[in-house]
Short mmCIF file of all heavy atoms in Angstrom, two decimals:
data_model
loop_
_atom_site.label_atom_id
_atom_site.label_comp_id
_atom_site.label_asym_id
_atom_site.label_seq_id
_atom_site.Cartn_x
_atom_site.Cartn_y
_atom_site.Cartn_z
N MET A 1 111.10 140.54 134.15
CA MET A 1 110.77 139.18 134.50
C MET A 1 109.21 138.95 134.47
O MET A 1 108.57 139.52 135.37
CB MET A 1 111.35 138.84 135.82
CG MET A 1 111.12 137.42 136.29
SD MET A 1 111.88 136.18 135.33
CE MET A 1 113.63 136.49 135.63
N THR A 2 108.70 138.24 133.49
CA THR A 2 107.26 138.07 133.55
C THR A 2 106.98 136.63 133.56
O THR A 2 105.76 136.23 133.55
CB THR A 2 106.64 138.64 132.17
OG1 THR A 2 107.29 138.12 131.06
CG2 THR A 2 106.72 140.12 132.14
N ARG A 3 108.00 135.78 133.55
CA ARG A 3 107.72 134.35 133.56
C ARG A 3 108.56 133.66 134.73
O ARG A 3 109.65 134.19 134.99
CB ARG A 3 108.12 133.71 132.29
CG ARG A 3 107.05 133.75 131.19
CD ARG A 3 107.56 133.27 129.87
NE ARG A 3 106.56 133.40 128.84
CZ ARG A 3 105.67 132.35 128.51
NH1 ARG A 3 105.76 131.24 129.14
NH2 ARG A 3 104.86 132.55 127.51
N CYS A 4 108.11 132.65 135.29
CA CYS A 4 108.85 131.91 136.25
C CYS A 4 110.02 131.23 135.60
O CYS A 4 109.86 130.54 134.59
CB CYS A 4 107.98 130.89 136.97
SG CYS A 4 108.86 129.72 138.05
N PRO A 5 111.24 131.35 136.13
CA PRO A 5 112.36 130.74 135.56
C PRO A 5 112.43 129.21 135.81
O PRO A 5 113.21 128.57 135.25
CB PRO A 5 113.64 131.42 136.30
CG PRO A 5 113.02 131.94 137.56
CD PRO A 5 111.57 132.22 137.34
N ASN A 6 111.56 128.83 136.72
CA ASN A 6 111.55 127.40 137.02
C ASN A 6 110.63 126.65 136.25
O ASN A 6 110.91 125.64 135.55
CB ASN A 6 111.24 127.23 138.61
CG ASN A 6 111.40 125.80 139.05
OD1 ASN A 6 112.29 125.11 138.65
ND2 ASN A 6 110.64 125.38 140.02
N CYS A 7 109.24 127.12 136.19
CA CYS A 7 108.32 126.27 135.40
C CYS A 7 107.79 127.10 134.29
O CYS A 7 106.97 126.60 133.48
CB CYS A 7 107.14 125.91 136.36
SG CYS A 7 106.15 127.33 136.96
N ASN A 8 108.27 128.34 134.09
CA ASN A 8 107.96 129.04 132.86
C ASN A 8 106.54 129.58 132.76
O ASN A 8 106.00 129.93 131.76
CB ASN A 8 108.29 128.27 131.57
CG ASN A 8 108.81 129.23 130.46
OD1 ASN A 8 109.44 130.23 130.78
ND2 ASN A 8 108.50 128.87 129.31
N CYS A 9 105.81 129.56 133.89
CA CYS A 9 104.42 129.98 133.86
C CYS A 9 104.33 131.55 134.15
O CYS A 9 105.35 132.09 134.68
CB CYS A 9 103.54 129.24 134.90
SG CYS A 9 103.61 129.86 136.52
N ARG A 10 103.24 132.14 133.77
CA ARG A 10 103.10 133.55 133.93
C ARG A 10 102.48 133.99 135.26
O ARG A 10 102.23 135.18 135.55
CB ARG A 10 102.33 134.10 132.82
CG ARG A 10 103.09 134.04 131.42
CD ARG A 10 102.05 134.40 130.33
NE ARG A 10 102.75 134.50 129.03
CZ ARG A 10 103.22 135.63 128.53
NH1 ARG A 10 103.16 136.76 129.31
NH2 ARG A 10 103.85 135.74 127.41
N ASP A 11 102.02 132.99 136.02
CA ASP A 11 101.32 133.28 137.25
C ASP A 11 102.21 133.59 138.37
O ASP A 11 102.42 132.85 139.36
CB ASP A 11 100.41 132.11 137.62
CG ASP A 11 99.28 132.44 138.59
OD1 ASP A 11 99.13 133.67 138.88
OD2 ASP A 11 98.61 131.60 139.09
N ILE A 12 103.00 134.72 138.29
CA ILE A 12 103.90 135.08 139.29
C ILE A 12 103.42 136.44 139.99
O ILE A 12 102.82 137.26 139.36
CB ILE A 12 105.36 135.28 138.76
CG1 ILE A 12 105.33 136.25 137.62
CG2 ILE A 12 105.84 133.96 138.28
CD1 ILE A 12 106.65 136.57 137.07
N GLY A 13 103.82 136.57 141.26
CA GLY A 13 103.49 137.76 142.00
C GLY A 13 104.84 138.46 142.51
O GLY A 13 105.75 137.76 142.76
N LYS A 14 104.80 139.72 142.58
CA LYS A 14 105.87 140.52 143.01
C LYS A 14 105.79 140.69 144.50
O LYS A 14 104.77 141.12 145.04
CB LYS A 14 105.96 141.88 142.38
CG LYS A 14 107.25 142.56 142.42
CD LYS A 14 107.34 143.81 141.54
CE LYS A 14 108.83 144.28 141.46
NZ LYS A 14 108.89 145.44 140.63
N ILE A 15 106.85 140.23 145.18
CA ILE A 15 106.84 140.33 146.65
C ILE A 15 107.91 141.32 147.20
O ILE A 15 107.96 141.62 148.38
CB ILE A 15 106.97 139.02 147.36
CG1 ILE A 15 108.25 138.41 146.93
CG2 ILE A 15 105.79 138.11 147.08
CD1 ILE A 15 108.58 137.05 147.70
N GLY A 16 108.70 141.89 146.24
CA GLY A 16 109.79 142.83 146.68
C GLY A 16 110.29 143.54 145.42
O GLY A 16 109.78 143.27 144.36
N THR A 17 111.25 144.32 145.62
CA THR A 17 111.83 145.18 144.46
C THR A 17 112.37 144.21 143.42
O THR A 17 112.15 144.54 142.25
CB THR A 17 112.99 146.06 144.94
OG1 THR A 17 113.88 145.44 145.81
CG2 THR A 17 112.35 147.27 145.72
N SER A 18 112.98 143.15 143.77
CA SER A 18 113.43 142.23 142.75
C SER A 18 113.18 140.68 143.21
O SER A 18 113.81 139.81 142.76
CB SER A 18 114.90 142.44 142.58
OG SER A 18 115.61 142.14 143.78
N GLN A 19 112.10 140.60 143.99
CA GLN A 19 111.65 139.36 144.41
C GLN A 19 110.29 138.95 143.93
O GLN A 19 109.34 139.71 143.97
CB GLN A 19 111.78 139.18 145.92
CG GLN A 19 113.15 138.99 146.50
CD GLN A 19 113.07 138.60 147.96
OE1 GLN A 19 112.57 139.28 148.74
NE2 GLN A 19 113.67 137.46 148.27
N PHE A 20 110.12 137.70 143.61
CA PHE A 20 108.87 137.26 142.93
C PHE A 20 108.47 135.93 143.62
O PHE A 20 109.35 135.20 144.13
CB PHE A 20 108.99 137.15 141.48
CG PHE A 20 109.48 138.37 140.75
CD1 PHE A 20 110.74 138.68 140.60
CD2 PHE A 20 108.47 139.29 140.23
CE1 PHE A 20 111.22 139.89 139.99
CE2 PHE A 20 108.91 140.50 139.72
CZ PHE A 20 110.29 140.76 139.49
N TYR A 21 107.18 135.59 143.46
CA TYR A 21 106.70 134.28 143.88
C TYR A 21 105.92 133.70 142.80
O TYR A 21 105.07 134.33 142.19
CB TYR A 21 105.90 134.51 145.17
CG TYR A 21 105.46 133.17 145.79
CD1 TYR A 21 106.23 132.44 146.53
CD2 TYR A 21 104.17 132.71 145.51
CE1 TYR A 21 105.90 131.25 147.12
CE2 TYR A 21 103.75 131.47 146.11
CZ TYR A 21 104.54 130.77 146.86
OH TYR A 21 104.23 129.53 147.45
N CYS A 22 106.17 132.42 142.61
CA CYS A 22 105.41 131.69 141.52
C CYS A 22 104.30 130.89 142.15
O CYS A 22 104.58 130.09 143.04
CB CYS A 22 106.37 130.78 140.68
SG CYS A 22 105.51 129.76 139.52
N TRP A 23 103.14 131.12 141.69
CA TRP A 23 101.91 130.35 142.09
C TRP A 23 101.80 129.06 141.35
O TRP A 23 101.03 128.17 141.79
CB TRP A 23 100.66 131.16 141.99
CG TRP A 23 100.75 132.45 142.81
CD1 TRP A 23 100.91 133.65 142.32
CD2 TRP A 23 100.37 132.51 144.24
NE1 TRP A 23 100.88 134.50 143.42
CE2 TRP A 23 100.57 133.89 144.55
CE3 TRP A 23 100.06 131.60 145.14
CZ2 TRP A 23 100.32 134.30 145.86
CZ3 TRP A 23 99.88 132.06 146.44
CH2 TRP A 23 99.93 133.33 146.77
N GLY A 24 102.69 128.87 140.26
CA GLY A 24 102.56 127.60 139.56
C GLY A 24 103.35 126.56 140.21
O GLY A 24 102.93 125.42 140.35
N CYS A 25 104.52 126.82 140.70
CA CYS A 25 105.42 125.76 141.30
C CYS A 25 105.76 126.16 142.78
O CYS A 25 106.56 125.50 143.37
CB CYS A 25 106.63 125.54 140.55
SG CYS A 25 107.75 126.96 140.28
N PHE A 26 105.15 127.22 143.32
CA PHE A 26 105.34 127.65 144.71
C PHE A 26 106.74 127.83 145.01
O PHE A 26 107.32 127.41 146.12
CB PHE A 26 104.74 126.63 145.71
CG PHE A 26 103.20 126.34 145.34
CD1 PHE A 26 102.91 125.15 144.78
CD2 PHE A 26 102.32 127.25 145.59
CE1 PHE A 26 101.62 124.81 144.46
CE2 PHE A 26 100.96 127.02 145.27
CZ PHE A 26 100.64 125.76 144.77
N VAL A 27 107.47 128.57 144.14
CA VAL A 27 108.89 128.84 144.31
C VAL A 27 109.13 130.32 144.31
O VAL A 27 108.39 131.13 143.64
CB VAL A 27 109.70 128.21 143.17
CG1 VAL A 27 110.94 128.94 142.88
CG2 VAL A 27 109.97 126.74 143.55
N GLU A 28 109.90 130.73 145.30
CA GLU A 28 110.23 132.19 145.30
C GLU A 28 111.50 132.42 144.61
O GLU A 28 112.50 131.56 144.66
CB GLU A 28 110.46 132.58 146.77
CG GLU A 28 110.24 134.07 147.03
CD GLU A 28 110.31 134.34 148.58
OE1 GLU A 28 109.55 133.75 149.25
OE2 GLU A 28 111.21 135.18 148.86
N PHE A 29 111.68 133.51 143.86
CA PHE A 29 112.92 133.77 143.13
C PHE A 29 113.27 135.20 143.19
O PHE A 29 112.36 136.15 143.18
CB PHE A 29 112.89 133.25 141.74
CG PHE A 29 111.82 133.65 140.88
CD1 PHE A 29 112.00 134.75 139.99
CD2 PHE A 29 110.55 132.98 140.92
CE1 PHE A 29 110.92 135.19 139.17
CE2 PHE A 29 109.52 133.41 140.04
CZ PHE A 29 109.70 134.57 139.26
N SER A 30 114.47 135.58 143.16
CA SER A 30 115.07 136.93 143.13
C SER A 30 115.83 137.22 141.87
O SER A 30 116.57 136.27 141.45
CB SER A 30 115.80 137.30 144.38
OG SER A 30 116.98 136.55 144.41
N VAL A 31 115.71 138.36 141.37
CA VAL A 31 116.44 138.57 140.07
C VAL A 31 117.43 139.74 140.41
O VAL A 31 116.97 140.83 140.77
CB VAL A 31 115.42 139.08 139.03
CG1 VAL A 31 116.17 139.35 137.69
CG2 VAL A 31 114.36 138.04 138.80
N THR A 32 118.69 139.50 140.15
CA THR A 32 119.72 140.52 140.31
C THR A 32 120.51 140.64 139.00
O THR A 32 121.31 139.74 138.65
CB THR A 32 120.59 140.14 141.43
OG1 THR A 32 119.93 139.72 142.59
CG2 THR A 32 121.60 141.32 141.82
N GLY A 33 120.14 141.61 138.19
CA GLY A 33 120.77 141.76 136.83
C GLY A 33 120.27 140.54 135.95
O GLY A 33 119.11 140.31 135.75
N GLU A 34 121.18 139.70 135.59
CA GLU A 34 120.89 138.60 134.76
C GLU A 34 120.90 137.29 135.60
O GLU A 34 120.67 136.21 135.05
CB GLU A 34 121.85 138.45 133.60
CG GLU A 34 121.72 139.52 132.59
CD GLU A 34 122.45 139.25 131.35
OE1 GLU A 34 123.20 138.27 131.26
OE2 GLU A 34 122.25 139.99 130.35
N LYS A 35 121.17 137.39 136.92
CA LYS A 35 121.30 136.26 137.83
C LYS A 35 119.89 136.06 138.47
O LYS A 35 119.35 137.04 138.94
CB LYS A 35 122.32 136.41 138.82
CG LYS A 35 123.71 136.25 138.27
CD LYS A 35 124.79 136.02 139.40
CE LYS A 35 126.13 135.76 138.83
NZ LYS A 35 127.11 135.43 139.82
N VAL A 36 119.46 134.79 138.46
CA VAL A 36 118.29 134.45 139.09
C VAL A 36 118.48 133.45 140.23
O VAL A 36 119.16 132.41 139.92
CB VAL A 36 117.20 133.91 138.09
CG1 VAL A 36 115.98 133.44 138.85
CG2 VAL A 36 116.96 134.82 136.98
N LYS A 37 118.02 133.78 141.37
CA LYS A 37 118.16 132.90 142.53
C LYS A 37 116.81 132.29 142.83
O LYS A 37 115.80 132.99 143.00
CB LYS A 37 118.70 133.52 143.73
CG LYS A 37 120.21 133.66 143.79
CD LYS A 37 120.61 134.29 145.05
CE LYS A 37 122.16 134.44 145.17
NZ LYS A 37 122.64 135.09 146.44
N LEU A 38 116.75 130.93 143.02
CA LEU A 38 115.51 130.30 143.38
C LEU A 38 115.48 129.89 144.72
O LEU A 38 116.44 129.52 145.30
CB LEU A 38 115.34 129.04 142.45
CG LEU A 38 115.19 129.30 140.99
CD1 LEU A 38 115.47 127.97 140.21
CD2 LEU A 38 113.78 129.81 140.63
N PHE A 39 114.42 130.00 145.30
CA PHE A 39 114.20 129.60 146.77
C PHE A 39 112.96 128.80 146.88
O PHE A 39 111.85 129.14 146.47
CB PHE A 39 113.96 130.78 147.64
CG PHE A 39 115.16 131.73 147.66
CD1 PHE A 39 115.14 132.75 146.80
CD2 PHE A 39 116.27 131.59 148.49
CE1 PHE A 39 116.29 133.74 146.72
CE2 PHE A 39 117.36 132.46 148.43
CZ PHE A 39 117.30 133.49 147.57
N GLN A 40 113.09 127.54 147.56
CA GLN A 40 112.00 126.77 147.85
C GLN A 40 111.49 127.06 149.21
O GLN A 40 112.25 127.20 150.19
CB GLN A 40 112.36 125.28 147.77
CG GLN A 40 111.24 124.29 147.81
CD GLN A 40 111.44 123.09 147.06
OE1 GLN A 40 112.66 122.58 146.99
NE2 GLN A 40 110.50 122.42 146.48
N VAL A 41 110.16 127.25 149.28
CA VAL A 41 109.55 127.59 150.62
C VAL A 41 109.21 126.38 151.36
O VAL A 41 108.36 125.54 150.88
CB VAL A 41 108.37 128.47 150.50
CG1 VAL A 41 107.77 128.85 151.78
CG2 VAL A 41 108.68 129.76 149.58
N GLU A 42 109.85 126.09 152.46
CA GLU A 42 109.60 124.96 153.26
C GLU A 42 108.27 125.15 154.04
O GLU A 42 107.69 126.18 154.09
CB GLU A 42 110.68 124.68 154.27
CG GLU A 42 112.07 124.39 153.55
CD GLU A 42 111.96 122.98 152.79
OE1 GLU A 42 111.76 122.07 153.54
OE2 GLU A 42 112.31 123.10 151.56
N GLU A 43 107.80 123.94 154.59
CA GLU A 43 106.49 124.03 155.24
C GLU A 43 106.56 124.90 156.49
O GLU A 43 105.51 125.49 156.87
CB GLU A 43 106.17 122.55 155.78
CG GLU A 43 105.61 121.70 154.60
CD GLU A 43 105.34 120.38 155.13
OE1 GLU A 43 105.13 120.08 156.36
OE2 GLU A 43 105.06 119.45 154.19
N ASP A 44 107.71 125.12 157.04
CA ASP A 44 107.82 126.00 158.28
C ASP A 44 108.00 127.45 157.80
O ASP A 44 108.24 128.28 158.72
CB ASP A 44 108.89 125.48 159.23
CG ASP A 44 110.27 125.58 158.59
OD1 ASP A 44 110.39 125.92 157.37
OD2 ASP A 44 111.25 125.22 159.21
N GLY A 45 108.03 127.71 156.57
CA GLY A 45 108.16 129.10 156.08
C GLY A 45 109.58 129.53 155.73
O GLY A 45 109.81 130.59 155.25
N SER A 46 110.53 128.64 156.05
CA SER A 46 111.94 129.01 155.74
C SER A 46 112.20 128.80 154.17
O SER A 46 111.55 128.12 153.55
CB SER A 46 112.88 128.19 156.57
OG SER A 46 112.75 126.78 156.23
N LEU A 47 113.23 129.59 153.79
CA LEU A 47 113.58 129.51 152.42
C LEU A 47 114.85 128.78 152.26
O LEU A 47 115.80 128.88 152.85
CB LEU A 47 113.81 130.92 151.84
CG LEU A 47 112.49 131.83 151.81
CD1 LEU A 47 112.92 133.22 151.43
CD2 LEU A 47 111.41 131.30 150.91
N VAL A 48 114.83 127.85 151.17
CA VAL A 48 116.06 127.02 150.84
C VAL A 48 116.45 127.44 149.43
O VAL A 48 115.68 127.23 148.46
CB VAL A 48 115.75 125.52 151.01
CG1 VAL A 48 116.99 124.79 150.58
CG2 VAL A 48 115.34 125.23 152.39
N ALA A 49 117.63 127.95 149.27
CA ALA A 49 118.10 128.28 148.02
C ALA A 49 118.47 127.06 147.21
O ALA A 49 118.98 126.12 147.77
CB ALA A 49 119.28 129.26 148.11
N TYR A 50 118.27 127.10 145.91
CA TYR A 50 118.64 126.03 145.07
C TYR A 50 118.85 126.59 143.71
O TYR A 50 118.25 127.64 143.30
CB TYR A 50 117.75 124.81 145.07
CG TYR A 50 116.35 124.98 144.44
CD1 TYR A 50 116.09 124.37 143.23
CD2 TYR A 50 115.42 125.68 145.06
CE1 TYR A 50 114.81 124.50 142.71
CE2 TYR A 50 114.14 125.94 144.54
CZ TYR A 50 113.85 125.32 143.33
OH TYR A 50 112.64 125.40 142.79
N THR A 51 119.60 125.92 142.87
CA THR A 51 119.89 126.52 141.52
C THR A 51 118.85 125.89 140.48
O THR A 51 118.26 124.93 140.71
CB THR A 51 121.27 126.01 141.04
OG1 THR A 51 121.38 124.58 140.91
CG2 THR A 51 122.36 126.48 142.09
N ALA A 52 118.86 126.63 139.29
CA ALA A 52 117.96 126.08 138.33
C ALA A 52 118.33 124.75 137.85
O ALA A 52 117.53 123.95 137.43
CB ALA A 52 117.95 127.12 137.13
N GLU A 53 119.64 124.47 137.86
CA GLU A 53 120.10 123.16 137.44
C GLU A 53 119.59 122.05 138.34
O GLU A 53 119.12 121.05 137.85
CB GLU A 53 121.69 123.05 137.35
CG GLU A 53 122.31 123.88 136.27
CD GLU A 53 122.36 125.44 136.62
OE1 GLU A 53 122.09 125.75 137.77
OE2 GLU A 53 122.59 126.16 135.68
N GLU A 54 119.56 122.31 139.62
CA GLU A 54 119.16 121.36 140.58
C GLU A 54 117.62 121.19 140.34
O GLU A 54 117.09 120.07 140.51
CB GLU A 54 119.37 121.83 142.04
CG GLU A 54 120.82 121.71 142.41
CD GLU A 54 121.14 122.34 143.74
OE1 GLU A 54 120.34 123.13 144.23
OE2 GLU A 54 122.22 122.08 144.26
N ALA A 55 116.93 122.26 140.09
CA ALA A 55 115.48 122.23 139.87
C ALA A 55 115.15 121.32 138.69
O ALA A 55 114.21 120.56 138.62
CB ALA A 55 114.90 123.64 139.60
N ALA A 56 115.95 121.46 137.56
CA ALA A 56 115.75 120.75 136.37
C ALA A 56 115.98 119.20 136.65
O ALA A 56 115.17 118.37 136.21
CB ALA A 56 116.74 121.22 135.30
N ILE A 57 116.93 118.94 137.44
CA ILE A 57 117.27 117.57 137.81
C ILE A 57 116.10 116.98 138.65
O ILE A 57 115.59 115.93 138.36
CB ILE A 57 118.54 117.43 138.61
CG1 ILE A 57 119.73 117.79 137.68
CG2 ILE A 57 118.76 116.08 139.19
CD1 ILE A 57 121.06 118.04 138.48
N ALA A 58 115.57 117.77 139.57
CA ALA A 58 114.48 117.37 140.50
C ALA A 58 113.22 117.08 139.66
O ALA A 58 112.55 116.09 139.91
CB ALA A 58 114.24 118.43 141.55
N SER A 59 112.98 117.89 138.67
CA SER A 59 111.74 117.85 137.92
C SER A 59 111.76 116.57 137.00
O SER A 59 110.85 115.96 136.69
CB SER A 59 111.42 119.06 137.04
OG SER A 59 112.52 119.24 136.19
N THR A 60 113.03 116.19 136.49
CA THR A 60 113.11 115.06 135.71
C THR A 60 113.00 113.71 136.48
O THR A 60 112.74 112.74 135.94
CB THR A 60 114.47 114.98 134.92
OG1 THR A 60 115.51 115.08 135.85
CG2 THR A 60 114.56 116.09 133.97
N ASN A 61 113.18 113.85 137.83
CA ASN A 61 113.07 112.58 138.70
C ASN A 61 111.71 112.37 139.13
O ASN A 61 111.34 111.31 139.68
CB ASN A 61 113.99 112.76 139.96
CG ASN A 61 115.43 112.70 139.60
OD1 ASN A 61 115.77 112.10 138.55
ND2 ASN A 61 116.28 113.17 140.45
N ILE A 62 110.74 113.31 138.88
CA ILE A 62 109.36 113.06 139.32
C ILE A 62 108.73 112.06 138.38
O ILE A 62 108.85 112.19 137.17
CB ILE A 62 108.52 114.38 139.22
CG1 ILE A 62 109.10 115.36 140.33
CG2 ILE A 62 107.08 114.17 139.42
CD1 ILE A 62 108.56 116.77 140.20
ZN1 LIG B 101 107.08 128.36 138.75
#
């Protein structure tokens, strides 16, 4: 995993064995095999899971 699955940028940092953080869209994601889980980091620091499909819908609404 060298690119963010959400915004496709390369500016990602590794925060765990299979967890990454994207500095482009401020999204955390974990990779398990071929499955990618996205997490949005809320202002209070909590993580909210959402799917890539939802992210795509959200980005088209901006
Ligand atoms: Zn990103």
